[in-house]
Amino acid sequence: MLRDDNASVELTGSTVFKDERKQAYLNPDGADRPLISPVPAATLDRARRYRLERLRMKMREWDCGALLLYDPVNIRYAFDSSNMSIWTMHNPSRYALILADGPAIIFEFEGAEHVNDGLPGIDEIRPSKSWIFFTAGNLIEPRLKAWADEIADLVKGNGGNRRIAVDRLEPAGAFELTERGFTLLDGQELAERARSIKSADEIELMRWTIRVCEAGMARMYEASEPGRTEREIWAELHFENARSGGEWLETKLLTAGPRTNPWYQECSDYVVKRGEMISFDTDMIGPYGYCADLSRSWTCGHVAMNTKQREIYAAARDQIEHNLSIIRPGMTFREFNERSWRIPEKYRPYRYTLALHGTGMADEWPGVLLHPDFDPGFSGVIEENMVLNVESLIAEAGSESIKLETQALITSRGAERLDSFHWEEV
């Protein structure tokens, strides 16, 4: 039951939601209040320790003297340190250095050192040396050399070898490090392989992010009435994520009616009409920095689907259910591809290229392509404690698109769905 404190009126779930199955997803403490995480602090601390050790384990396997991180997602994974993540994605001005036989150091944006207070994985906080053109201008070269000298001195001073794994670095920075005798390795691969295996504590954090996402989806469902724009409906997810401690949405994939096909159009001021299909992909980076990547499709006005909508929706459900059912730990990507659902010819020109992909603090490795696009040379194995998303996009010439996606933990028995927001009835 929900209470409007201003009006002192109680509202039953059936008043709030037109589909009673979705009542449970609205914030049970009230539509006017953010969700408050029940996850204990000890769970987050254990996840932090596990993640940093995963990176160090991969460093030992790769024989790296150091791991240099610029990607904000990798920095968050390593230290749970977050500062202006979207801005620093395109302005690389904070970074981290994890030394194989030494400390883990965060180089923080000047004046923001305090955002790292209390993070247990960080041994030292230093001011970053930024050499991006925005702030360095004609002083790039001396700042770049000072940056490279500091990195080199730290690695050499802690007895590390000269193999540095780097996730993302401008060519000039790579040149300066190689000039100082270092060999650079692909730190993005190292980080994503480390991130691919989740601990039980990570799964608990991820379940909460999904809970917040589903509350946002419930708001979107309620807002899916004739006369609303795509942007208005999409904004409900932003609202629930932001007020409940989440971070950002990676895409703007919500469209309606004729704008659903072809896929990959961004939400707009298109005014949705009764009976049109609304299809979306959340791509939500939520609380604790974890991703909830869920897709659903439903009709505007919550009316029954027409014949064509039911046909393509049923095909999308078939794809999801079949591919979920065959996943087992130990299965190679090639074996999955060979046994996966075969998309009918009439849907192929409008297909989604991915059948599966990993998910953690963002979409991540592995990205297993749909069978028409799969390369037999793409190697890898589905492992226990991966989180994989199972995808479907179904459309044909002249139809709307149905987009469905579910997020699943790989257990010893197979794929266990982490989301539970209802599919539509057809």
Side-chain angles (χ1 to χ4, degrees), residues 274-276 299-305 309:
R274 183 176 300 278
E276 288 185 330
T299 58
C300 177
H302 319 289
V303 299
M305 294 183 195
Q309 289 169 339

Side-chain angles (χ1 to χ4, degrees), residues 230-335:
E230 293 169 344
R231 289 191 182 116
E232 285 181 279
I233 298 169
W234 192 231
E236 298 291 345
L237 181 60
H238 283 271
F239 174 76
E240 192 67 44
N241 187 39
R243 72 172 184 161
S244 299
E247 306 213 359
W248 68 85
L249 304 185
E250 298 255 84
T251 61
K252 295 169 63 180
L253 293 173
L254 180 145
T255 50
R259 300 191 70 255
T260 62
N261 186 6
W263 191 241
Y264 287 121
Q265 299 188 68
E266 294 191 330
C267 66
S268 72
D269 58 2
Y270 176 79
V271 178
V272 190
K273 302 175 184 64
R274 183 176 300 278
E276 288 185 330
M277 189 60 65
I278 298 169
S279 296
F280 65 88
D281 192 341
T282 62
D283 294 313
M284 188 189 96
I285 310 302
Y288 306 109
Y290 282 97
C291 179
D293 190 5
L294 309 176
S295 295
R296 295 293 187 273
S297 298
W298 53 59
T299 58
C300 177
H302 319 289
V303 299
M305 294 183 195
N306 63 35
T307 301
K308 180 56 65 178
Q309 289 169 339
R310 287 197 301 271
E311 175 191 322
I312 58 178
Y313 195 101
R317 280 291 305 277
D318 285 347
Q319 182 177 10
I320 294 283
E321 299 297 344
H322 175 91
N323 287 346
L324 271 175
S325 72
I326 65 171
I327 295 173
R328 294 291 183 276
M331 173 183 277
T332 67
F333 301 157
R334 185 168 184 169
E335 289 169 336

Side-chain angles (χ1 to χ4, degrees), residues 21-300:
R21 298 172 305 158
K22 296 181 173 63
Q23 291 178 37
Y25 295 99
L26 190 70
N27 180 347
D29 295 325
D32 59 338
R33 300 182 182 91
L35 287 164
I36 304 300
S37 173
V39 180
T43 299
L44 179 58
D45 282 340
R46 287 193 301 268
R48 289 166 170 168
R49 291 194 295 272
Y50 170 84
R51 295 184 323 222
L52 185 55
E53 178 51 32
R54 282 286 299 175
L55 291 173
R56 289 193 177 277
M57 179 189 72
K58 288 298 178 184
M59 290 173 65
R60 292 190 291 269
E61 289 178 8
W62 285 39
D63 190 26
C64 292
L67 173 61
L68 178 61
L69 302 174
Y70 267 91
D71 185 333
V73 176
N74 288 332
I75 294 172
R76 181 71 182 266
Y77 181 84
F79 296 148
D80 207 22
S81 174
S82 177
N83 182 20
M84 303 183 292
S85 295
I86 300 299
W87 191 84
T88 57
M89 282 183 187
H90 60 91
N91 290 288
S93 53
R94 67 190 297 264
Y95 47 98
L97 185 69
I98 302 171
L99 296 158
D101 299 307
I105 305 168
I106 186 78
F107 296 81
E108 189 53 83
F109 191 87
E110 185 177 0
E113 293 84 358
H114 56 277
V115 303
N116 302 286
D117 290 349
L119 295 177
I122 298 174
D123 298 307
E124 184 180 351
I125 303 170
R126 294 190 176 203
S128 65
K129 288 183 169 61
S130 173
W131 42 273
I132 61 175
F133 178 75
F134 170 47
T135 53
N138 64 301
L139 300 177
I140 286 177
E141 186 171 351
R143 293 187 183 183
L144 175 60
K145 292 186 181 300
W147 166 87
D149 286 342
E150 184 176 28
I151 298 295
D153 290 346
L154 281 166
V155 176
K156 294 173 186 176
N158 283 276
N161 64 33
R162 298 202 172 198
R163 291 163 54 85
I164 301 181
V166 181
D167 64 351
R168 182 177 300 167
L169 191 60
E170 298 295 325
F175 175 80
E176 290 293 335
L177 291 178
T178 55
E179 281 287 287
R180 286 159 177 75
F182 292 101
T183 299
L184 303 187
L185 308 177
D186 184 358
Q188 191 64 34
E189 179 184 347
L190 184 155
E192 291 212 25
R193 287 187 181 275
R195 287 161 44 185
S196 68
I197 305 299
K198 311 299 189 293
S199 69
D201 296 301
E202 284 192 277
I203 297 302
E204 187 173 351
L205 299 174
M206 189 173 283
R207 287 184 191 276
W208 180 249
T209 281
I210 290 171
R211 171 69 183 90
V212 170
C213 184
E214 291 181 322
M217 290 162 63
R219 298 184 69 92
M220 293 165 70
Y221 187 87
E222 181 64 9
S224 295
E225 290 288 350
R228 295 292 188 102
T229 67
E230 293 169 344
R231 289 191 182 116
E232 285 181 279
I233 298 169
W234 192 231
E236 298 291 345
L237 181 60
H238 283 271
F239 174 76
E240 192 67 44
N241 187 39
R243 72 172 184 161
S244 299
E247 306 213 359
W248 68 85
L249 304 185
E250 298 255 84
T251 61
K252 295 169 63 180
L253 293 173
L254 180 145
T255 50
R259 300 191 70 255
T260 62
N261 186 6
W263 191 241
Y264 287 121
Q265 299 188 68
E266 294 191 330
C267 66
S268 72
D269 58 2
Y270 176 79
V271 178
V272 190
K273 302 175 184 64
R274 183 176 300 278
E276 288 185 330
M277 189 60 65
I278 298 169
S279 296
F280 65 88
D281 192 341
T282 62
D283 294 313
M284 188 189 96
I285 310 302
Y288 306 109
Y290 282 97
C291 179
D293 190 5
L294 309 176
S295 295
R296 295 293 187 273
S297 298
W298 53 59
T299 58
C300 177

